[in-house]
Amino acid sequence: MPRIAYVDGVYRPHAEAAVHIEDRGYQFADGVYEVIAIRGGKLVDEELHLVRLRRSLMELRIEGALADAPLKFVLREVIRRNAVVDGIVYLQISRGIAPRDHAFPKAARPILVVTARRTRPVNPTQVDEGVSVITIPDIRWQRCDIKTISLVANVLGKQQAREAGAYEAWMVDGEGHITEGTSTNAWIVTADNQIVSRGADHHILDGVTRQALIALLRRGGYNFVERPFTVTEAKAAREAFLTSTTSDLLPVTSIDGQPVANGAPGLLTQKLRADYLAHVAESA
Ligand code: PLP
């Protein structure tokens, strides 16, 4: 069955789908995106993703994008046409097509692209043994809270992780605090079992997985705090883990080649992973 993509109002074979060379997403990375998990044919935490999408559009002052109801229809149609039961749907909205000029074009209208694909379940070895991260300087701009398609610093960071044989790179700000991973949020559990996530300031993307987990933590009465934490603190942590739409919740068992605690996934991490997966199963 051929893959189908949606590009600006038209469903097209994926291999032929294309945007104009003067699309501002292509030329300036002037656009936003979302990746939503599909489980059992349903979209996981769709509302949270759409709220974040609207916020990203507002922050970049992109006006006139498709409203939620028709957008939801397109997402479902792309999922249906690609027969995706478990996978992801990707959506991207650029400011539109216009002769190249940095300032906003007067006449352009937003261009929506949607694709969907099946994904393999998270690798069981990564769940059982945890994954490794390296730490690298955070060289990104100061509005990482906006989910823009401008991801080149994240691309370089992830590649550095790959070349170091690590799953992820945790980025570190000028004060020595970990901001987040290149495509995941970073968490630690302290020696006194406090679960710590950096607050959703301008230096991290407020992950939907993070938001959903925080809601579970609050409901479950866990000892949870939002505050910055340093690399030193992370390396001395009892447990560490990461979250994202595509990785869900994975234990981090090594930071810069040093084992976290005894180097095995933490018990609390495993419990939270189970809680999060139950939430996913419920919402799907
Ligand atoms: N942080 C960054 C920089 C990301 O790119 C992502 C996901 O792509 C996340 C965090 C996790 O966000 P979510 O849980 O919404 O997938």
Side-chain angles (χ1 to χ4, degrees), residues 33 52 147 154 180-185 205 207-209 244-245:
Y33 77 108
R52 186 172 66 184
K147 201 166 170 65
N154 307 56
E180 61 182 334
T182 62
S183 64
T184 57
N185 287 116
L205 181 77
V208 163
T209 319
S244 81
T245 297

Side-chain angles (χ1 to χ4, degrees), residues 90-138:
Y90 174 85
L91 75 96
Q92 170 175 323
I93 301 174
S94 78
R95 198 181 303 277
I97 300 161
R100 190 179 182 280
D101 179 24
H102 287 63
F104 297 173
K106 287 210 172 63
R109 57 180 177 78
I111 299 290
L112 170 66
V113 170
V114 181
T115 58
R117 68 178 169 85
R118 293 169 204 176
T119 52
R120 288 203 205 108
V122 168
N123 180 345
T125 311
Q126 290 170 343
V127 176
D128 295 345
E129 295 176 9
V131 296
S132 58
V133 303
I134 56 167
T135 59
I136 60 169
D138 194 338

